[in-house]
């Protein structure tokens, strides 16, 4: 993904977000936007943190795992380590949770504000090696925009 495409992804998301809407509405539109804007993906969405567990939030794609402890999988690693996980081949990731057997690569970036993990943004692809470091950076920029939205203090999970 070129720098202009990275910038365009975050700018497109920024234009879509509305701080006057409930957080769940913004996350729902963000999931739909990312799913449509990124080629070669089969899932895009959010897991929302409560204590040391991630609960399924708004997403696009097939039904998914409903809760993931911070101690398991790519999403758990992103939340636990508070850093983006770029996984070119999910079958090579120890402890990968296969919510959709078709997924082959994944990028998960945490949503962090004030040092607290609010959740994770998870994007999967049926193609091995689909995501680049530039994709991961673009999604991290999107996650930062979402983490800055109001409404995270309200109970979503």
């Amino acid at each position: 993904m070129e720098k202009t495409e990275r910038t365009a992804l975050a700018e497109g998301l920024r234009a879509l977000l509305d701080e006057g809407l409930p957080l769940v509405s913004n996350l729902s539109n963000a999931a739909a936007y990312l799913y449509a804007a990124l080629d070669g993906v089969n899932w895009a969405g959010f897991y929302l943190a409560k204590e040391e567990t991630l609960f399924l939030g708004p997403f696009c794609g097939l039904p998914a795992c409903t809760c993931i402890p911070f101690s398991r999988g790519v999403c758990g690693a992103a939340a636990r380590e508070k850093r983006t996980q770029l996984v070119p081949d999910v079958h090579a990731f120890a402890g990968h949770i296969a919510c959709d057997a078709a997924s082959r690569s994944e990028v998960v970036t945490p949503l962090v504000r004030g040092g607290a993990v609010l959740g994770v943004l998870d994007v999967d692809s049926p193609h091995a090696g689909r995501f680049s470091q530039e994709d991961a950076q673009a999604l991290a920029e999107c996650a930062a925009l979402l983490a800055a939205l109001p409404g995270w203090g309200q109970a979503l999970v």
Side-chain angles (χ1 to χ4, degrees):
M1 178 181 290
E2 297 292 323
K3 182 176 171 85
T4 55
E5 292 172 321
R6 282 197 325 260
T7 303
L9 190 67
E11 289 304 315
L13 180 60
R14 180 178 281 117
L16 183 67
L17 299 176
D18 181 343
E19 290 189 5
L21 291 175
L23 180 61
V24 69
S25 298
N26 279 311
L27 293 178
S28 296
N29 272 340
Y33 168 74
L34 294 169
Y35 187 80
L38 296 168
D39 291 331
V41 301
N42 61 331
W43 203 91
F46 300 93
Y47 282 91
L48 308 176
K50 182 177 182 182
E51 298 170 8
E52 295 290 310
T53 303
L54 296 165
F55 291 92
L56 182 63
F59 70 93
C60 289
L62 292 177
C65 303
T66 55
C67 58
I68 300 171
F70 278 24
S71 61
R72 296 201 52 225
V74 180
C75 290
R80 183 177 64 253
E81 298 173 14
K82 296 181 184 177
R83 70 176 181 86
T84 299
Q85 304 291 310
L86 175 60
V87 182
D89 181 359
V90 295
H91 300 298
F93 188 93
H96 173 256
I97 301 168
C99 294
D100 181 349
S103 292
R104 292 289 314 278
S105 61
E106 184 171 14
V107 61
V108 182
T109 190
L111 290 91
V112 179
R113 183 166 69 194
V117 175
L118 306 170
V120 298
L121 166 57
D122 181 13
V123 182
D124 297 359
S125 173
H127 309 289
R130 158 61 183 90
F131 302 106
S132 65
Q133 194 62 40
E134 291 79 16
D135 293 322
Q137 183 178 349
L139 291 168
E141 291 172 17
C142 291
L145 289 173
L146 294 161
L149 288 171
W152 285 103
Q154 301 165 1
L156 295 176
V157 292

